């Protein structure tokens, strides 16, 4: 069990009596439930007004203390009868018929925490909570006894397992005589004791439960909120569940709205990925073209190197020993020397210079073209790298969307999530086809206008 985020635990309690009073005090009902009703709702009979119960899931419930087959009314009645007999022996009045003889306690971990845990982890968490609650109950009143405790997995579709327990409230007065005195032992001090110590004990066992603030520790805003909610405290179990079910419906509605937003984001991301794949295909084709051009450029470079060798060889031919003007023979006329030696030499020299000039010009033109190609290649490679980075970013965004969809799947279920994703895919494909059709129509209209 790995819970990293701290959370609050609801610990509602309700007074129980074998014969609840119908009298009102200061215009308010006693808010005491009958043991019969509480037990029928808590046991595997699962009777009552609570419509969130799915009896097909009742077999998944886990009993922590005792089991569903005990006669809870008989157990409580026997304890009441024994205390009444003892009190009569000491000359005291027997317990009243409407005495608060037991209390029902619930340990309610937030549904969003439970949904992140496996069934085994949920049971482990609630077993730890049960042990802590047992310790605190006996520290508060040593003779209080938990007669039964069960983890319900059959409410709200099994998404929010929680523990119910029934505790008989036997105490001893200053004379050592047993009694049941809820007014003395089940009061604001009891709730302060539980709310203060329960979170501490849970954290000691590795469960990150938040502290419950007292009224004095609250901010002004929290006090106002507390007063607004105060009229809801102490309601019966069904009313409490109806309220919580409404809150759960609101939360589901919020998650569905969030799911719709995520679906839109997912759809947009799919569209971008669809476009990027098309761009990536174009880039791959362009990269192949660039690769071929690079190979051609490399061939040109090799050719230029060969031309450079020829150019160098041409330069080496200007060796003084090869290009010296011959001395005139003795007794030769200047005109004859000019025609026979000078003019042929000049022609040979000009021919060689013209050849070298042509080679140099060709060499410079090819260098210029090669530099241009290399510059274009660099730009294309930069564009390809930029698009590659964009693709990587979009894959990261898609991965983030996948994580969000995983959370939605836990809230709405796998089938509902798959339905949403398939709708998104179909919508993207349909919009892509519509855009392509519109593009073709625009192109067709342009052709008609040009005609």
């Amino acid at each position: 069990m790995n819970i990293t985020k701290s959370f609050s635990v609801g610990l509602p309690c309700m007074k129980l009596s074998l014969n609840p009073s119908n009298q009102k005090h200061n215009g308010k009902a006693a808010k005491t439930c009958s043991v019969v009703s509480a037990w029928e709702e808590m046991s595997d009979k699962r009777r009552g007004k609570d419509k969130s119960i799915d009896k097909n899931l009742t077999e998944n419930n886990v009993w922590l203390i005792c089991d569903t087959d005990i006669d809870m009314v008989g157990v409580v009645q026997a304890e009441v009868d024994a205390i009444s007999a003892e009190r009569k022996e000491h000359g005291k009045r027997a317990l009243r018929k409407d005495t608060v003889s037991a209390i029902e306690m619930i340990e309610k971990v937030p549904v969003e925490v439970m949904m992140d845990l496996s069934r085994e982890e949920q049971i482990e968490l609630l077993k730890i909570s049960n042990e802590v609650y047992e310790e605190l109950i006996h520290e508060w009143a040593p003779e209080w006894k938990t007669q039964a405790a069960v983890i319900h997995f059959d409410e709200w579709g099994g998404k929010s397992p929680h523990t119910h327990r029934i505790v008989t409230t036997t105490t001893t007065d200053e004379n050592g005589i047993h009694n049941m005195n809820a007014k003395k032992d089940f009061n604001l001090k009891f709730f302060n004791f539980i709310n203060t110590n329960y979170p501490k004990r849970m954290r000691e066992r590795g469960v990150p439960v938040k502290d419950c603030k007292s009224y004095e520790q609250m901010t002004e805003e929290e006090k106002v909120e507390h007063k607004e909610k105060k009229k809801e405290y102490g309601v019966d179990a069904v009313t409490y569940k109806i309220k919580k079910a409404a809150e759960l419906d609101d939360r589901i509605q919020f998650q569905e709205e969030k799911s719709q937003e995520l679906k839109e984001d997912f759809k947009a991301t799919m569209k971008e990925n669809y476009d990027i794949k098309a761009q990536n295909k174009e880039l791959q084709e362009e990269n192949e073209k660039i690769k071929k051009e690079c190979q051609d450029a490399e061939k040109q470079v090799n050719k230029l190197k060969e031309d450079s060798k020829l150019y160098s060889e041409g330069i080496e031919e200007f060796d003084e020993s090869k290009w010296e003007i011959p001395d005139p023979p003795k007794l030769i006329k200047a005109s004859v020397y000019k025609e026979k030696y000078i003019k042929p030499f000049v022609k040979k020299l000009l021919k060689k210079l013209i050849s070298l000039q042509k080679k140099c010009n060709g060499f410079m033109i090819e260098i210029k073209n090669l530099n241009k190609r290399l510059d274009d290649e660099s730009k294309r490679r930069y564009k390809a790298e930029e698009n590659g980075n964009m693709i990587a970013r979009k894959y990261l965004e898609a991965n983030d969307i996948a994580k969000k969809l995983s959370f939605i799947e836990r809230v709405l279920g796998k089938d509902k999530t798959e339905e949403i994703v398939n709708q998104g895919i179909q919508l993207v494909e349909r919009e892509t086809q519509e855009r392509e059709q519109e593009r073709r129509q625009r192109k067709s209209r342009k052709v008609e206008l040009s005609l």
Side-chain angles (χ1 to χ4, degrees), residues 97-126:
K97 288 185 178 181
D98 61 354
T99 293
V100 175
S101 49
I103 56 176
E104 182 177 10
M105 299 176 171
I106 301 173
E107 295 138 74
K108 187 75 173 72
V109 178
V111 61
E112 57 269 19
V113 175
M114 283 303 199
M115 288 179 68
D116 286 337
L117 302 178
S118 65
R119 173 181 167 85
E120 292 72 20
E121 291 173 327
Q122 291 171 344
I123 294 173
E124 180 186 358
L125 172 58
L126 291 175

Side-chain angles (χ1 to χ4, degrees), residues 339-397:
E339 291 295 330
K340 188 175 180 180
Y341 293 100
I342 298 301
K343 283 185 177 182
F345 178 81
V346 171
K347 282 183 180 182
K348 179 183 175 184
L349 180 60
L350 286 174
K351 184 179 179 181
K352 194 63 178 178
L353 288 175
I354 290 169
S355 174
L356 291 175
Q357 183 64 44
K358 287 180 178 180
K359 289 181 180 180
C360 286
N361 289 342
F363 183 64
M364 295 305 295
I365 290 171
E366 291 189 12
I367 287 176
K368 183 178 179 181
N369 292 336
L370 179 60
N371 285 333
K372 184 176 182 303
R373 288 183 182 179
L374 292 176
D375 185 57
D376 291 342
E377 178 194 352
S378 177
K379 289 179 180 178
R380 287 171 182 164
R381 285 182 175 174
Y382 176 78
K383 182 180 178 182
E385 182 179 354
E386 187 179 40
N387 286 333
N389 292 335
M390 183 186 297
I391 292 169
R393 287 196 300 271
K394 291 304 175 184
Y395 278 130
L396 289 175
E397 292 175 7

Side-chain angles (χ1 to χ4, degrees), residues 217-258:
Q217 295 172 323
M218 294 181 184
T219 63
E220 292 302 320
E221 292 78 7
E222 290 172 334
K223 288 181 180 179
V224 171
E225 183 180 0
H226 175 78
K227 288 179 180 179
E228 291 176 351
K229 291 184 176 181
K230 192 171 182 180
K231 59 185 178 181
E232 300 175 1
Y233 299 161
V235 297
D236 63 272
V238 173
T239 303
Y240 171 80
K241 289 176 184 177
I242 291 173
K243 173 181 174 292
K244 286 298 180 183
E247 291 177 358
L248 183 61
D249 289 340
D250 290 341
R251 186 176 295 132
I252 290 174
Q253 182 180 354
F254 171 78
Q255 292 296 344
E256 287 177 345
E257 291 173 356
K258 189 68 176 176

Side-chain angles (χ1 to χ4, degrees), residues 41 46 50 52-53 152-159 162 241:
E41 192 279 332
R46 306 302 274 138
D50 190 351
S52 72
I53 297 172
H152 282 167
F153 278 91
D154 56 0
E155 296 176 34
W156 296 330
K159 295 179 180 179
H162 55 281
K241 289 176 184 177

Side-chain angles (χ1 to χ4, degrees), residues 41-187:
E41 192 279 332
M42 175 176 160
S43 69
D44 289 349
K45 294 178 182 179
R46 306 302 274 138
R47 296 173 183 169
K49 298 180 289 184
D50 190 351
K51 295 181 180 180
S52 72
I53 297 172
D54 184 351
K55 292 187 178 181
N56 294 322
L57 300 177
T58 298
E59 62 182 14
N60 296 329
N61 293 348
V62 177
W63 286 87
L64 302 174
I65 298 175
C66 208
D67 57 54
T68 188
D69 295 327
I70 69 169
D71 178 11
M72 181 60 70
V73 174
V75 169
V76 177
Q77 185 67 64
E79 192 155 349
V80 169
D81 291 344
I83 292 173
S84 293
E86 180 184 346
R87 290 179 65 78
K88 286 180 180 179
E89 288 178 3
H90 289 82
K92 293 182 176 289
R93 291 177 57 185
L95 295 175
R96 292 173 41 159
K97 288 185 178 181
D98 61 354
T99 293
V100 175
S101 49
I103 56 176
E104 182 177 10
M105 299 176 171
I106 301 173
E107 295 138 74
K108 187 75 173 72
V109 178
V111 61
E112 57 269 19
V113 175
M114 283 303 199
M115 288 179 68
D116 286 337
L117 302 178
S118 65
R119 173 181 167 85
E120 292 72 20
E121 291 173 327
Q122 291 171 344
I123 294 173
E124 180 186 358
L125 172 58
L126 291 175
K127 281 185 175 181
I128 294 172
S129 177
N130 174 68
E131 292 171 0
V132 169
Y133 227 152
E134 285 295 291
E135 290 175 2
L136 295 176
I137 288 171
H138 291 296
E139 287 177 19
W140 176 255
E143 293 192 63
W144 281 18
K145 181 180 179 181
T146 299
Q147 301 295 344
V150 60
I151 302 174
H152 282 167
F153 278 91
D154 56 0
E155 296 176 34
W156 296 330
K159 295 179 180 179
S160 182
H162 55 281
T163 303
H164 285 250
R165 73 180 62 244
I166 290 181
V167 179
T168 49
T169 56
T170 301
T171 57
T172 305
D173 64 16
E174 62 276 6
N175 297 316
I177 302 172
H178 287 97
N179 193 12
M180 285 183 169
N181 191 346
K183 184 176 181 181
K184 176 182 177 183
D185 298 306
F186 186 68
N187 50 28

